[in-house]
Amino acid sequence: VALVMPKGSDPALDLTLLEACQQLDPISLGQYLKIRFTRVSNPKSKALSPTTWETPSQVWTSTTPVVIPFLSNGPVEKWVEKLCRQAGLPPLRSVEVSQKSFLAGIQHVLFKSGPSQQIPPYRVSGKKPSFHRFVRLVFEEPVEGPLGLGAGKHKGYGWFKSGGSNA
């Protein structure tokens, strides 16, 4: 999990927010995940670099599954297109969806009872788990990030990284 400050924000306020986050007890997201904030000023990992999440690109690949809360009849790709339209994004050239991530090293979307190494399901309004899929989007024009789509985007689901076809 990363906290990225908006471009042009006040550095003094940024520092105050970062210091406040460091004082938080670990945040629990269900029984599977605990988050503790640590300040990284010069990230060595590409995953922590703002360019991974903000660089304008036509191709965006989800790093966590997109939660589609209103799936009914029809292809999943059409529902992803609807999420993009609702977010005010430009027209899409193509949409790919999969239970497996398009990126190496990310767990599949397969839910089991009890603890597992799989990504925990996100429940919309306490209902049964919603439809989760990894997504690769190709837009007609470059889109500037960060990009998050679907239910749960404020809790870490549906986040995308920018990059080429092998993002």
Side-chain angles (χ1 to χ4, degrees), residues 147-161:
L147 177 58
L149 289 176
K153 67 184 172 197
H154 302 294
K155 294 188 177 185
Y157 290 82
W159 277 95
F160 289 74
K161 67 177 281 192

Side-chain angles (χ1 to χ4, degrees), residues 1-3 18 21-25 27 35-39:
V1 176
L3 179 63
L18 289 170
C21 288
Q22 287 176 322
Q23 294 175 19
L24 292 173
D25 286 331
I27 298 171
I35 299 171
R36 180 180 303 276
F37 290 93
T38 303
R39 185 171 184 190

